[in-house]
Amino acid sequence: MIEGLRTMHRLGRLFLVAMMASVAARAADPKPNIVFIMADDLGSADVGYRGSDIKTPNIDKLAEAGVRLDDFYGEPVCTPSRAALMTGRYPMRYGLQTLVIFPSHTYGLPTDERTLPQALKQAGYTTLMFGKWHLGHADRKYWPQNRGFDYFYGNVMGEVDYFTRDRGGVIDWQRNGTFLKEPGYYMTLIGDDAVRLIDRQDSKKPFFLYFASLAPHAPYQAPQSYKDRYPAITDKNRQAYAGMISALDDQVGRIVRALENKHLRDNTLILFASDNGGATSGLFAQGAKSNDEREHEEGGIDQGAKSPASNAPLRGGKGSLYEGGVRVLAFANWPGHLKPGTVTAPLHMVDIMPTVLALAGGTGSADHPMDGRDIWPVLTAGAPSPNEDILINVEAFRGAVRKGDWKLLKVALLPGKTELFDLAADPGETTNVAAQHPEIAADLEARLLAYAKQQKPSEWIKAQPAFVGSQGHTVFDPDFDIDDGGLPHEKPAPIGR
């Protein structure tokens, strides 16, 4: 017993020394460039280093030379996960905990929330974004360039057609507020622009680059040359999905090469994560319909059809609170600063902002305290997770929380259910052990309920009853110039008028 306590004490001192060395090293280093690559609906089994037949050599190289975060959590769907990244706070604190912002919705990430790019900009960073925003589109105040980004090229809604950027009769594609109608494939366009902007950066000033890929979110669309890489895949949606992941991987490779060519790679931290797990239900993989007359597939699937993504061996997928929906692919890579390895400490998307700000010398908002914690000691020294527990999500009708290896999932809709899983013994969540461990279940349920009492009313639940149909007509800022390249010729009228 005494010897065991001595061993624990020695280990604790080693962790403390490593953490202090990490802090000292950070203080001595110049501010690093930060690149965050967000994949969209990427199945956690759908990359090469996880054994997939989908080829991802560039992602694999970064992951294998970096720190793989095997117990990293996003949110069940796009909007909440992106909000967690941008604020370091759980989405339930500002009403974005339920589903996603539909084209008909007029709300967005509240403007009193201090965002990651705002904090980095104040710390002296140039802030650049490419790709999908999905944190508010109906009013300009929600757009990326008004939430801390110096430069934005991409779309502000959720899914769009990959070839036309059409969504609900609107061409949702802009550069810094100027809407564009231009040819090309989504992934290639944002890759081209990211490489161009990297090449233009002043090497003496740090930058934050947020590369928010739309791929491989539905609709499942890829140029034929990408689909041709997978002749053995006969399912057309799976083949297109594989091609989209290869397109993402190609752009990852181009970004790394651009950093190397600019001699910036050694001072650039690259973070990679998917927003949520792959869509394994047709409900979350139907895709937006294309209005383009060119001969390419729309790429949506029937609601009851099998989705092409895989999160095996995890249970569930996008939209679910089971591990397949929320435990996502993630890793960090920084040559000379992070040693190759795997971390199994439970971490969450909200941890990114405080970690990056600690590296960059930035600060959050005193009146909006972050839920996330600085995880740099975890990445560099294998320290335990700084999170006492992790709120996976909480809504009016369901929620999930993790503490250590234990996870509790509760559904309040009748007949309701409470499930407890030992993720160390049962990562596939096959066996509910709540009855066998009532004390642990009670502790986690009390934690979940405490979070639930702090949540703000869901903006989605407040907004959705006003619309007929699932998503309604597209709404944009009423003051936008409808003749400004690529916008609709007439404004879409709200349903009911």
Side-chain angles (χ1 to χ4, degrees):
M1 178 71 176
I2 294 175
E3 185 58 33
L5 289 173
R6 287 174 177 166
T7 300
M8 291 177 64
H9 181 66
R10 284 196 297 270
L11 288 173
R13 286 198 303 173
L14 287 172
F15 274 130
L16 181 60
V17 169
M19 290 168 67
M20 292 175 66
S22 173
V23 171
R26 278 193 280 176
D29 284 340
K31 293 181 178 181
N33 304 308
I34 309 291
V35 173
F36 191 98
I37 301 170
M38 178 80 87
D40 197 337
D41 293 6
L42 176 61
S44 58
D46 291 327
V47 292
Y49 77 91
R50 287 284 181 89
S52 177
D53 59 342
I54 298 175
K55 304 175 183 68
T56 54
N58 295 298
I59 292 172
D60 297 348
K61 184 177 180 180
L62 285 175
E64 289 164 358
V67 180
R68 297 177 293 282
L69 311 178
D70 279 4
D71 282 42
F72 187 88
Y73 287 87
E75 295 286 335
V77 288
C78 307
T79 293
S81 204
R82 291 157 201 275
L85 171 67
M86 286 291 125
T87 64
R89 287 160 46 84
Y90 292 130
M92 61 90 179
R93 299 207 181 277
Y94 37 84
L96 295 187
Q97 67 269 50
T98 303
L99 290 175
V100 300
I101 299 174
F102 285 170
S104 54
H105 292 160
T106 58
Y107 66 88
L109 178 66
T111 55
D112 64 335
E113 291 289 336
R114 182 173 175 81
T115 67
L116 176 58
Q118 285 172 332
L120 287 172
K121 192 171 180 178
Q122 189 175 52
Y125 277 68
T126 299
T127 54
L128 313 167
M129 180 182 171
F130 309 86
K132 170 181 166 177
W133 177 238
H134 212 181
L135 290 174
H137 61 272
D139 193 309
R140 292 177 187 267
K141 67 183 180 182
Y142 296 128
W143 293 1
Q145 56 268 46
N146 294 318
R147 303 310 302 274
F149 283 103
D150 295 312
Y151 180 91
F152 169 62
Y153 175 68
N155 68 300
V156 289
M157 286 191 282
E159 65 191 66
V160 293
D161 185 282
Y162 281 79
F163 294 95
T164 68
R165 270 68 70 194
D166 176 87
R167 181 67 188 272
V170 170
I171 305 301
D172 179 15
W173 195 244
Q174 61 163 282
R175 178 179 283 111
N176 295 331
T178 298
F179 281 77
L180 308 168
K181 182 180 286 187
E182 58 184 0
Y185 184 59
Y186 187 109
M187 295 305 301
T188 305
L189 290 173
I190 62 172
D192 287 346
D193 217 49
V195 168
R196 182 175 66 87
L197 266 290
I198 290 171
D199 188 59
R200 287 174 50 183
Q201 293 311 299
D202 180 354
S203 59
K204 297 179 181 179
K205 184 177 181 180
F207 63 86
F208 168 56
L209 190 155
Y210 177 35
F211 189 80
S213 167
L214 180 58
H217 192 295
Y220 300 118
Q221 299 171 329
Q224 190 61 46
S225 60
Y226 276 109
K227 292 188 283 189
D228 287 345
R229 296 186 186 186
Y230 299 96
I233 299 178
T234 57
D235 177 86
K236 69 175 184 179
N237 286 316
R238 174 74 179 175
Q239 186 184 57
Y241 173 80
M244 295 162 76
I245 295 173
S246 285
L248 166 60
D249 185 73
D250 280 356
Q251 304 317 315
V252 170
R254 294 181 68 201
I255 288 171
V256 172
R257 287 191 294 275
L259 292 168
E260 292 171 345
N261 292 340
K262 191 75 173 177
H263 305 292
L264 297 172
R265 183 66 188 95
D266 288 343
N267 195 40
T268 300
L269 168 63
I270 297 178
L271 297 156
F272 179 101
S274 182
D275 53 355
N276 45 255
T280 55
S281 164
L283 178 65
F284 290 102
Q286 294 180 62
K289 291 186 177 180
S290 167
N291 291 334
D292 185 40
E293 295 181 354
R294 283 181 289 116
E295 292 184 4
H296 63 75
E297 301 165 346
E298 290 184 355
I301 67 174
D302 294 336
Q303 185 168 327
K306 185 181 185 302
S307 174
S310 172
N311 303 305
L314 303 179
R315 178 179 179 180
K318 179 181 180 179
S320 166
L321 291 176
Y322 292 116
E323 294 291 275
V326 292
R327 197 201 296 190
V328 300
L329 280 170
F331 58 80
N333 182 295
W334 187 4
H337 294 76
L338 295 176
K339 296 179 181 178
T342 300
V343 165
T344 56
L347 307 171
H348 192 281
M349 195 73 75
V350 295
D351 294 324
I352 297 298
M353 182 167 173
T355 305
V356 166
L357 292 187
L359 287 167
T363 58
S365 173
D367 58 350
H368 290 69
M370 287 182 280
D371 293 295
R373 299 289 182 266
D374 180 359
I375 61 172
W376 194 246
V378 181
L379 303 183
T380 58
S385 173
N387 301 298
E388 183 179 350
D389 58 37
I390 286 180
L391 176 65
I392 294 171
N393 198 27
V394 66
E395 304 171 67
F397 56 93
R398 66 174 185 170
V401 64
R402 175 171 173 174
K403 180 184 178 185
D405 290 328
W406 295 100
K407 175 182 172 183
L408 182 119
L409 189 153
K410 188 173 182 67
V411 177
L413 294 173
L414 294 177
K417 63 179 177 180
T418 300
E419 296 178 293
L420 179 69
F421 300 104
D422 178 357
L423 296 178
D426 181 23
E429 296 172 296
T430 61
T431 306
N432 178 10
V433 294
Q436 288 81 12
H437 300 278
E439 300 87 356
I440 295 173
D443 173 51
L444 267 64
E445 184 166 358
R447 291 171 182 271
L448 183 60
L449 292 176
Y451 280 119
K453 290 176 182 178
Q454 300 172 41
Q455 70 175 315
K456 287 191 175 181
S458 163
E459 294 294 335
W460 190 94
I461 290 176
K462 289 194 296 183
Q464 193 58 19
F467 300 97
V468 178
S470 63
Q471 301 205 14
H473 286 314
T474 301
V475 177
F476 257 113
D477 186 321
D479 295 325
F480 74 129
D481 181 358
I482 61 174
D483 294 320
D484 187 11
L487 292 176
H489 294 296
E490 58 183 33
K491 297 180 182 179
I495 289 180
R497 294 187 182 180

